[in-house]
Amino acid sequence: MKRGLLFLLLVINSTFLLSQANLKRDTTYMISRSFNTNALKEFKDNKDFQYNIHQEPVQSLWEKFWSWVWWKVGQLLRTKEGITTVWSVLIVLSIAIIVYFVIKITGMGQGGLFGRSNKGPQKYILSQNDIHGISFADAIEKAISNGDYRLATRLQYLQALKKLSDKGYIEWRINKTNTDYLTEITGKPFNDMFILLTFNFEYTWYGEKPVSREQFLEIKKQFQQFNSQV
């Protein structure tokens, strides 16, 4: 048994020595390299390569102000009292906006809650003046010279009503509406033109649409055409 084990070891040793004798030596030339410390420092200091650093954009004073405002709002909303205050302010603002638009739509103004605004031209209001007592030529010329083309448009419309009344096409009364007059001239040759003039008048006067000089000259041509048809 011992002899067999000794023989096996001799065989293994001989095989190992034989394999060592057949190995080839590695004659490859190796070049040792190292990192350039200066180049590494330049890359490290270059902001283009600093991917892990987050830089906040520079804010203007206006942006800083709103950031502060929203920060304060956020603080308010963290408390029950703050939420109540914010909702109260929003409700008051909503009511103010609604009241403002109601005033604008209904025409209320400096005259009080139930009065109409004192701003803008108040002369030659149909419900207050008899159209037969207005000197239209002088009034229209004065309105044009003052650049008040809305008033000039209204005066020309009142002048057209006076002409229809003088010709017997309509029966003018203070409490009648423009729709009443349109009904009275239905079927007349100038009916379509008067519809257009009524639309322009109501749009510019009651709609408070500004009228430029060029627009007024076009409207004036329409009134001249209407006058030639009546």
Side-chain angles (χ1 to χ4, degrees):
M1 182 65 182
K2 293 181 179 181
R3 291 180 180 180
L5 183 58
L6 181 59
F7 176 76
L8 180 61
L9 290 174
L10 289 173
V11 171
I12 293 174
N13 186 46
S14 299
T15 304
F16 177 74
L17 292 175
L18 182 62
S19 63
Q20 289 290 330
N22 293 331
L23 289 176
K24 293 183 179 180
R25 185 181 297 275
D26 187 1
T27 58
T28 303
Y29 179 72
M30 302 294 293
I31 300 176
S32 178
R33 295 181 179 273
S34 60
F35 291 104
N36 189 324
T37 305
N38 293 331
L40 286 175
K41 188 176 184 305
E42 290 180 3
F43 283 118
K44 184 178 180 181
D45 295 337
N46 193 332
K47 294 182 180 180
D48 295 336
F49 297 99
Q50 296 175 359
Y51 303 109
N52 61 336
I53 300 177
H54 176 69
Q55 294 182 343
E56 293 289 342
V58 179
Q59 290 185 328
S60 63
L61 292 176
W62 182 250
E63 292 172 333
K64 290 180 179 179
F65 167 75
W66 280 110
S67 296
W68 176 81
V69 169
W70 291 119
W71 175 73
K72 295 295 290 184
V73 171
Q75 282 190 323
L76 282 174
L77 294 177
R78 292 191 184 98
T79 62
K80 184 177 181 180
E81 294 78 6
I83 294 175
T84 303
T85 301
V86 170
W87 274 111
S88 300
V89 171
L90 290 176
I91 291 172
V92 171
L93 287 177
S94 300
I95 295 174
I97 292 172
I98 293 173
V99 171
Y100 171 78
F101 280 106
V102 168
I103 291 174
K104 293 295 291 184
I105 292 172
T106 58
M108 300 179 212
Q110 295 179 354
L113 185 60
F114 300 100
R116 300 190 63 85
S117 173
N118 291 326
K119 294 182 179 180
Q122 294 297 310
K123 297 181 180 180
Y124 312 109
I125 296 177
L126 191 59
S127 59
Q128 296 179 1
N129 295 276
D130 187 336
I131 59 175
H132 298 285
I134 300 174
S135 177
F136 286 105
D138 296 336
I140 293 173
E141 183 64 29
K142 183 178 180 180
I144 294 175
S145 63
N146 292 334
D148 194 346
Y149 301 116
R150 284 183 62 243
L151 178 58
T153 300
R154 179 175 177 80
L155 288 169
Q156 287 192 109
Y157 187 79
L158 295 178
Q159 187 181 38
L161 289 178
K162 180 178 182 302
K163 189 166 188 177
L164 290 174
S165 178
D166 292 341
K167 294 283 186 178
Y169 292 116
I170 64 172
E171 183 183 354
W172 183 84
R173 289 199 306 268
I174 289 178
N175 59 346
K176 292 178 70 173
T177 66
N178 296 331
T179 303
D180 294 329
Y181 298 129
L182 288 172
T183 302
E184 292 183 50
I185 64 170
T186 300
K188 299 296 189 293
F190 47 81
N191 178 68
D192 292 340
M193 179 57 67
F194 190 68
I195 292 176
L196 176 61
L197 296 179
T198 301
F199 172 80
N200 288 335
F201 158 65
E202 292 183 344
Y203 186 52
T204 57
W205 188 257
Y206 297 115
E208 298 184 358
K209 178 183 177 295
V211 180
S212 66
R213 177 177 175 80
E214 291 73 18
Q215 291 171 328
F216 172 75
L217 292 177
E218 184 63 30
I219 294 174
K220 185 177 180 181
K221 289 180 182 179
Q222 295 171 357
F223 277 105
Q224 290 173 346
Q225 182 179 352
F226 168 77
N227 291 328
S228 65
Q229 294 177 359
V230 177

